[in-house]
Amino acid sequence: MSTSAIKIDAKLCCKDAICVSICPVGIFQGSVGSLPVVDENMASNCIKCGHCSAACPTDAISIPGLAAADYQKLSTTMPDLQSLRDLVMGRRSIREFKEQPVDLELINELLEITRFCPTAKNTQLLHWVLVNGAKKVRELSAAVIDTFRSNEKMAPMVQAFDRGADPINRGAPQVLLVCGPVKYDWGALDAAIAIANFELAAKASGLGTCWAGFTTRAAQVGPAVNACVGLGVNDKVFAAVMLGHPVYEYCRVPPRKPLELKIV
Ligand SMILES: Cc1cc2nc3c(=O)[nH]c(=O)nc-3n(C[C@H](O)[C@H](O)[C@H](O)COP(=O)(O)O)c2cc1C
Ligand code: SF4
Ligand code: SF4
């Protein structure tokens, strides 16, 4: 029988059974005081989440495909609840952008953070497309407008666009598309998580964002958006977000509906 190559270094293991408890798919067998055993029948279910080795206090576990050098040190400073509250409540959907595009290095840095967001079964199947610069964003908005041109409800938007405004992507200098395999059924959720986190990272950097729902919908009902950004038929745009430097600062947090919580 071939083995999984998931390894525990017996010389390092302190037998606290953390890996036994923490592995989401139950690959380690044993209890406190004994050296855990890798259940080879379960090992093919490993989702490469790295939880076992990230939590192991003695660095005794190796998982194929997850190089020891690629684990990063956990920061000892975390934002306190008040800082997080300010960030989440201070985020707004920005619809007025300065012309100046966001520095590509900064976008890259924000996306590097976002790639640590959760994905269903740790699949990490999403990839991003940056629609970069006013000219290309206008082309993207034109593809959206063309998709909806025959839809009567969209007539005011079509007319506004034809007059030179951009009611689709609001004159943002950049738009990010979150894409993945067309058949990936968790794609919309994974993409929503990625964008929600990206928005907070952008806000923390003084940038403005807004969900691009019309662009997302157009990509899902017609081929024009995919064609505009060079995506093939096997790729799906699961979500999209406008990005830029905001023109206005907000002075207050607007009210929202009260929390509804049922405890059962
Ligand atoms: C849409 C979605 C559904 C998920 N469903 C489950 C689940 O049913 N059970 C579970 O243990 N983890 C679930 N997860 C957690 C993922 O397995 C986890 O995010 C992934 O393994 C990466 O680990 P991390 O979140 O610690 O980075 C889900 C995550 C997402 C985004
Ligand atoms: S978490 Fe590490 S130290 Fe603890 S039992 Fe597992 S391998 Fe051994
Ligand atoms: S990487 Fe995740 S799924 Fe794989 S053995 Fe470790 S904890 Fe279990």
Coordinates of all heavy atoms in Angstrom, one line a residue, residues 3 15 80 95 99 110 122 131 160 201 228 235:
T3 N 2.0 5.0 0.9 CA 1.7 5.8 2.1 C 1.6 7.2 1.7 O 2.0 7.7 0.6 CB 2.8 5.7 3.1 OG1 4.1 6.0 2.5 CG2 2.9 4.3 3.7
K15 N 3.6 14.2 22.3 CA 2.5 13.3 22.5 C 1.3 14.1 23.3 O 0.7 13.5 24.2 CB 2.9 12.1 23.3 CG 4.0 11.3 22.6 CD 4.6 10.2 23.4 CE 5.7 9.5 22.6 NZ 6.5 8.6 23.5
D80 N -7.3 45.3 18.2 CA -8.3 45.0 19.2 C -9.7 45.2 18.6 O -9.9 45.7 17.5 CB -8.1 45.9 20.5 CG -8.1 47.4 20.1 OD1 -8.7 47.7 19.1 OD2 -7.5 48.2 20.9
R95 N -18.5 55.5 -4.4 CA -19.0 55.6 -5.8 C -18.4 56.9 -6.5 O -18.8 57.2 -7.6 CB -20.5 55.6 -5.8 CG -21.1 54.3 -5.2 CD -22.6 54.3 -5.4 NE -23.1 53.1 -4.7 CZ -23.5 53.0 -3.5 NH1 -23.4 54.0 -2.7 NH2 -24.0 51.8 -3.0
E99 N -9.2 60.3 -10.2 CA -8.7 59.7 -11.5 C -7.5 58.8 -11.3 O -7.3 57.8 -11.9 CB -8.4 60.9 -12.5 CG -9.6 61.4 -13.2 CD -9.2 62.5 -14.2 OE1 -8.0 62.5 -14.6 OE2 -10.0 63.3 -14.5
L110 N -2.4 44.0 -1.0 CA -3.8 43.7 -0.5 C -4.3 42.3 -0.9 O -4.9 41.6 -0.2 CB -4.8 44.8 -1.0 CG -4.5 46.2 -0.6 CD1 -5.6 47.2 -1.1 CD2 -4.3 46.4 0.9
N122 N -10.7 24.3 1.6 CA -9.3 24.8 1.3 C -8.9 24.7 -0.2 O -7.8 24.5 -0.5 CB -8.3 24.1 2.2 CG -7.0 24.9 2.3 OD1 -7.0 26.2 2.3 ND2 -5.9 24.2 2.4
V131 N -8.7 44.9 -13.9 CA -9.1 45.7 -15.0 C -8.5 47.1 -14.7 O -8.9 47.8 -13.8 CB -10.6 45.8 -15.2 CG1 -10.9 46.6 -16.5 CG2 -11.2 44.4 -15.4
A160 N -27.6 56.8 -19.8 CA -26.5 57.6 -19.1 C -25.1 57.2 -19.6 O -24.3 58.1 -19.8 CB -26.6 57.3 -17.6
A201 N -9.2 45.5 3.9 CA -7.8 45.8 3.7 C -7.6 47.1 2.9 O -6.7 47.9 3.2 CB -7.1 44.6 3.0
C228 N -14.1 40.7 -22.9 CA -13.5 41.9 -22.7 C -12.2 41.8 -21.9 O -11.2 42.5 -22.1 CB -14.4 42.9 -22.0 SG -13.7 44.4 -21.4
D235 N -13.9 29.7 -17.4 CA -13.7 30.6 -16.2 C -15.0 31.4 -16.0 O -15.7 31.8 -16.9 CB -12.6 31.6 -16.5 CG -11.2 31.1 -16.1 OD1 -11.2 30.5 -15.0 OD2 -10.3 31.4 -16.8

